[in-house]
Amino acid sequence: ATDRVICWIHGAEPVYGWSFEEAYGQDPHALLATRCPQSRGTVRAALARDGAWEGEVVQTARDGRAIHVFSRLRRRTEPGRYEGTTLETNTDITLRKAAIEALSQSEQRFRTIFETLAVAIWEHDLRPVKAELDALRTQGVDDLALHLAQHPDVLRRIRASIRVTDVISTGLRLMGVSSKEEFFTHLDGFLADPDEDFIGFLLASDSGAPHFQNEATVRTRQGELLRVLVAFNFPPAEMLDRVQASVLNITERIRVQEALQRTRSQLDHALRAATIGEVSATIS
């Protein structure tokens, strides 16, 4: 009750650097320079009300090291020598905190890399696709491509079931959307290709192929049609809730190729006309 140490087990000595003789009778909060997210009055009130308190605190070892600990306080009510005292147990979580901080920084670094990629990436939940395809197999469908071609309603239902679960900044800019909250919720909302072009993706997914790549047409929020190259890497079945697609905008490349092809056609036509003119002159 007087906030004085009456028990200091041997395990505390290597952690804090003080022996039992040095810690006995000391105020532990002053000895360890304890920094608590709550005031000591709040902690005392919790002990009086609930008989217990727990939380993360920062303490200082004898050599000046800051130690992060998970602290548990329990007011002892059982009759006997220690009745009315408070048992404090502290677990050193300094290394764990450092590891968590390092992991957080690593995640932030990779998030920054992903968010600044020239390739758009968004995630899909493909579990409904697997459920639909498995159901068709159970019903005895052997030729999946033929069945989907003959039943466009099934194909559209599967396509409409694919949810978009996440997208990076490049994907937002590509599709003309300002925030993730406003992004398309389903793949069917922006995929502009005919249903028949979707069959190849379903066949690759059903066959257990490790990846799938194809060209596709998407419609931006403003209604502009873009030609893109889409690459899927299919994970194991238990991870189908977060399947990433890499999307590269090739619209401008195709426009350049088409313009180049038109120029070549015009040049070929001019060369043929010139050749015909030379032959005609020679004959004359």
Side-chain angles (χ1 to χ4, degrees), residues 1 3 29 36 38-54 73 75 86:
D3 281 335
H29 305 292
C36 181
Q38 300 175 349
S39 66
R40 292 178 67 175
T42 302
V43 175
R44 289 196 185 96
L47 282 172
R49 182 183 64 253
D50 306 322
W53 178 90
E54 63 180 35
L73 305 180
R75 180 62 55 84
T86 298

Side-chain angles (χ1 to χ4, degrees), residues 18 28 82 134 138 188 207 219 252:
W18 277 283
Y82 294 107
D134 288 347
T138 303
D188 203 41
S207 67
R219 182 180 292 104
E252 192 60 34

Side-chain angles (χ1 to χ4, degrees), residues 166-220:
D166 200 1
V167 61
I168 69 172
S169 299
T170 308
L172 296 177
R173 293 191 297 271
L174 175 68
M175 301 301 292
V177 182
S178 58
S179 67
K180 292 185 179 183
E181 291 73 23
E182 299 176 14
F183 198 72
F184 303 88
T185 56
H186 286 77
L187 180 65
D188 203 41
F190 57 85
L191 188 61
D193 286 326
D195 291 336
E196 294 76 13
D197 293 346
F198 189 61
I199 293 179
F201 169 78
L202 296 180
L203 295 178
S205 174
D206 180 66
S207 67
H211 51 77
F212 173 79
Q213 180 174 306
N214 196 21
E215 289 187 18
T217 303
V218 296
R219 182 180 292 104
T220 69

Side-chain angles (χ1 to χ4, degrees), residues 220-235:
T220 69
R221 183 72 76 189
Q222 294 73 29
E224 180 185 3
L225 294 179
L226 300 178
R227 197 64 181 168
V228 297
L229 183 64
V230 182
F232 277 89
N233 286 321
F234 296 117

Side-chain angles (χ1 to χ4, degrees), residues 67-273:
I67 303 174
H68 294 265
V69 301
F70 185 76
S71 183
R72 293 184 178 89
L73 305 180
R74 182 171 64 86
R75 180 62 55 84
R76 305 182 69 169
T77 58
E78 61 271 18
R81 176 183 176 186
Y82 294 107
E83 182 180 3
T85 62
T86 298
L87 177 65
E88 177 177 350
T89 58
N90 294 329
T91 304
D92 187 354
I93 59 172
T94 305
L95 294 179
R96 186 192 311 170
K97 292 279 289 187
I100 293 174
E101 179 63 24
L103 179 60
S104 176
Q105 292 178 359
S106 177
E107 289 178 347
Q108 182 60 39
R109 182 167 64 89
F110 282 108
R111 170 60 64 176
T112 301
I113 293 173
F114 282 124
E115 293 291 350
T116 55
L117 285 173
V119 177
I121 297 176
W122 51 69
E123 289 183 335
H124 310 79
D125 185 352
L126 297 185
R127 290 176 298 180
V129 173
K130 177 173 174 50
E132 289 276 5
L133 297 181
D134 288 347
L136 292 177
R137 294 300 189 191
T138 303
Q139 295 167 14
V141 175
D142 295 325
D143 192 335
L144 184 60
L146 179 62
H147 182 84
L148 293 175
Q150 294 176 344
H151 298 82
D153 56 323
V154 175
L155 190 62
R156 286 192 292 270
R157 185 177 68 243
I158 296 175
R159 177 166 149 170
S161 70
I162 301 178
R163 290 192 311 108
V164 178
T165 56
D166 200 1
V167 61
I168 69 172
S169 299
T170 308
L172 296 177
R173 293 191 297 271
L174 175 68
M175 301 301 292
V177 182
S178 58
S179 67
K180 292 185 179 183
E181 291 73 23
E182 299 176 14
F183 198 72
F184 303 88
T185 56
H186 286 77
L187 180 65
D188 203 41
F190 57 85
L191 188 61
D193 286 326
D195 291 336
E196 294 76 13
D197 293 346
F198 189 61
I199 293 179
F201 169 78
L202 296 180
L203 295 178
S205 174
D206 180 66
S207 67
H211 51 77
F212 173 79
Q213 180 174 306
N214 196 21
E215 289 187 18
T217 303
V218 296
R219 182 180 292 104
T220 69
R221 183 72 76 189
Q222 294 73 29
E224 180 185 3
L225 294 179
L226 300 178
R227 197 64 181 168
V228 297
L229 183 64
V230 182
F232 277 89
N233 286 321
F234 296 117
E238 60 272 13
M239 299 174 62
L240 287 176
D241 58 328
R242 300 182 71 88
V243 181
Q244 294 81 29
S246 301
V247 183
L248 179 63
N249 186 5
I250 58 174
T251 306
E252 192 60 34
R253 180 192 303 174
I254 292 178
R255 288 172 182 168
V256 171
Q257 289 174 346
E258 291 175 346
L260 180 60
Q261 185 61 40
R262 286 195 299 269
T263 302
R264 285 176 176 170
S265 297
Q266 293 170 359
L267 180 59
D268 289 342
H269 178 73
L271 289 175
R272 284 196 299 270

